[in-house]
Amino acid sequence: VFQRCCPLMVPLNGEERLAVLHTLVMGSELVHNFPSVDGTGNFFKDLTIKLAMEYPWFLNEWQALLILNGTTGSKDAKNTSNRVYVDAEVSIYGCKAFAEEQHPTWEEASDRLLYVAHNMRQIDTGNNVFFGNVSAVFRTSKVKDNVLIAPIDTGIYEGSCNNSYGPNLPIDCDAWKDDPIGTLEFSDHLFLENLQIWAK
């Protein structure tokens, strides 16, 4: 597996590989991309520069959606772009389901997470610009105790393995089944799962 993704890791022994991975995990940026203005480069309503200037905290996607629309849209589960968020947040992250899926309250929206990319590949844009043309980089020392990590983008996992919403990519869904999500400090169990998921 290492030969394909990270050839520099091949000559290292297990302890050395783990040390390199720990350094990458703790040293890599945590990034959230969002559109500069409403409706640019994002399939889900999100924070904009204007909204960022109006609120003293970093809004999550559900809060931004309520401010911009007042509703989360259609309940057509297979065709709604927010379906992937709903499914991942409830089934993977253990969030409580909204009482009314189309109309979460501000309190319910505020209890949801903010998605970030763990920029271990050191991409200049921080994350895929598909999510927006602005990159917010969080100071790891300030947020490290608030971060949960999955071995794969949970939207890709939900779309590919649970058919909740596209994309449907050829990944090994069986590589991640029962293991819990991790934190920045405790994520060793996810390294091999991540590689195995993409090895298909």
Side-chain angles (χ1 to χ4, degrees):
V1 173
F2 284 112
Q3 185 65 55
R4 284 198 316 183
C5 79
C6 351
L8 294 176
M9 297 278 266
V10 172
L12 303 180
N13 66 38
E15 283 188 18
E16 292 169 330
R17 289 175 183 169
L18 201 52
V20 168
L21 289 170
H22 284 163
T23 301
L24 283 171
V25 165
M26 294 309 291
S28 296
E29 297 169 330
L30 297 168
V31 183
H32 179 83
N33 278 43
F34 62 92
S36 56
V37 294
D38 185 29
T40 59
N42 201 324
F43 70 96
F44 189 83
K45 294 284 185 184
D46 200 350
L47 178 76
T48 61
I49 293 174
K50 181 178 183 295
L51 279 181
M53 303 301 285
E54 294 175 7
Y55 288 83
W57 72 90
F58 202 96
L59 296 168
N60 69 32
E61 289 94 333
W62 292 107
Q63 292 170 322
L65 184 63
L66 287 177
I67 292 165
L68 295 169
N69 281 3
T71 179
T72 63
S74 167
K75 229 178 175 181
D76 183 355
K78 296 299 180 186
N79 295 320
T80 304
S81 60
N82 66 12
R83 179 82 248 156
V84 68
Y85 288 86
V86 171
D87 290 347
E89 289 168 1
V90 173
S91 66
I92 295 174
Y93 293 106
C95 294
K96 186 178 176 183
F98 295 144
E100 290 184 55
E101 190 171 295
Q102 292 181 350
H103 303 284
T105 65
W106 181 258
E107 185 177 345
E108 288 174 323
S110 299
D111 199 35
R112 292 301 171 102
L113 50 101
L114 174 70
Y115 289 90
V116 297
H118 197 191
N119 192 15
M120 292 177 70
R121 295 188 181 262
Q122 301 175 353
I123 300 168
D124 290 341
T125 56
N127 190 5
N128 191 331
V129 293
F130 169 78
F131 294 105
N133 55 353
V134 178
S135 298
V137 181
F138 296 92
R139 189 175 304 226
T140 304
S141 63
K142 297 291 186 186
V143 300
K144 66 182 176 66
D145 295 330
N146 300 318
V147 176
L148 296 175
I149 300 176
I152 184 174
D153 178 301
T154 54
I156 292 174
Y157 183 81
E158 282 295 330
S160 302
C161 302
N162 295 330
N163 300 314
S164 55
Y165 178 75
N168 189 349
L169 301 177
I171 60 173
D172 184 354
C173 296
D174 294 326
W176 183 40
K177 282 293 184 190
D178 300 318
D179 283 345
I181 50 182
T183 65
L184 284 177
E185 190 177 357
F186 300 104
S187 56
D188 292 0
H189 62 291
L190 303 177
F191 293 142
L192 283 178
E193 288 179 352
N194 173 267
L195 295 173
Q196 290 166 348
I197 284 169
W198 293 106
K200 191 170 183 177

